[in-house]
Structures are given as structure tokens and as C-alpha cells.
Amino acid sequence: MNELDQFVKNELRIKGYVRYADDFVLKHENKELLIDCRQKIEHFLQERLNLKVHPKKLILKTYASGIDYLGYVSFPHHRVIRTKTKRRIFRRVNKKNFSSYSGVLKHCRSHSLKSRLIEVVGTTDIE
């Protein structure tokens, strides 16, 4: 996927590009430019890497409505944990893995959520 990174950086020159594994986001204020980039990326992936973008997983939306990426929904001035991720955490949290989930919550607005998790785990000696 380094080839895609270099293509977006050097050919498309999009500064608002983030990729983790096979998930990526392009951010730009010009919708027409993003539509054009989408077509160029799909062509690049097919021709150079023999890959296809899943049509149902390619979404064009405004930043103000939130970008759902890697378990979080990012807004212009804050980030929240995705509802599905939150439900999964509450199903799986226990004393042994609380610290791990606590680390996930540090990357978003989650103070009240962390308090609720402490209640679920049932202990006060967890940091």
C-alpha cells in the first residue's frame, strides 16, 4: 500500500490523507476534487496493484457530519467512540482488560463512558 501512499502524496497532492492498513480517508473542502481523486485512486488500485475498492465502503460525506474511521467518529473539533465499538467494550470489559479499553478511550471524549465502565467492572482501584 506504500504505492498508494506515494500516489496520493506525489500525484494527487492531497494533504488530508490518512491510511491504516487497507482503510484510508481523504479530507478536502472541494467535493469535485474528491470525486475526481476517487476515480483516479480506483483506477490506480486496479491498474497498478490489482485491487478494487468495495463500492459500499466508499463514502463521500462532510467532515461536520463525522468521519467514521478505526472505531471512532471524528468531527472538526472532537472525536467520539463509534457506537458499535462502545457496545463491544461493554460486552467484553473486565478487570483484566480494563486498562486496554481505558487506553482506547483516551483518544476521544469519554470521561462519562470511563466512569460507567468502572461501575460495570465494579472496582475503584483501577486507574
Side-chain angles (χ1 to χ4, degrees):
M1 294 297 286
N2 178 56
E3 293 90 348
L4 176 62
D5 299 340
Q6 297 305 315
F7 175 74
V8 173
K9 178 182 175 184
N10 299 320
E11 301 293 323
L12 301 180
R13 298 190 182 272
I14 299 292
K15 295 182 193 268
Y17 168 72
V18 179
R19 180 182 64 82
Y20 180 80
D22 64 346
D23 293 331
F24 64 90
V25 172
L26 289 177
K27 185 182 94 170
H28 199 277
E29 59 274 351
N30 185 328
K31 181 179 179 179
E32 288 76 27
L33 177 73
L34 290 173
I35 292 169
D36 184 52
C37 287
R38 172 186 176 170
Q39 294 169 344
K40 289 177 180 177
I41 289 171
E42 286 178 331
H43 180 75
F44 175 84
L45 289 172
Q46 178 64 46
E47 295 299 314
R48 298 277 292 276
L49 302 177
N50 200 27
L51 297 172
K52 289 187 178 182
V53 176
H54 193 288
K56 292 184 178 179
K57 295 192 176 184
L58 205 145
I59 302 165
L60 187 64
K61 59 191 301 186
T62 64
Y63 191 38
S65 65
I67 297 172
D68 187 347
Y69 184 65
L70 300 178
Y72 301 96
V73 180
S74 296
F75 296 95
H77 302 290
H78 71 283
R79 181 176 27 237
V80 296
I81 197 154
R82 181 191 298 153
T83 302
K84 184 177 177 179
T85 305
K86 186 186 326 179
R87 288 183 184 135
R88 186 178 307 121
I89 288 172
F90 274 100
R91 278 195 314 270
R92 298 179 180 175
V93 71
N94 58 48
K95 290 181 183 181
K96 288 183 180 180
N97 64 17
F98 179 84
S99 295
S100 179
Y101 287 125
S102 182
V104 169
L105 296 177
K106 287 182 180 179
H107 299 284
C108 63
R109 287 190 179 173
S110 63
H111 180 73
S112 62
L113 180 59
K114 186 173 178 181
S115 298
R116 286 178 33 216
L117 280 179
I118 290 171
E119 290 175 20
V120 169
V121 172
T123 185
T124 58
D125 62 335
I126 299 175
E127 172 39 40

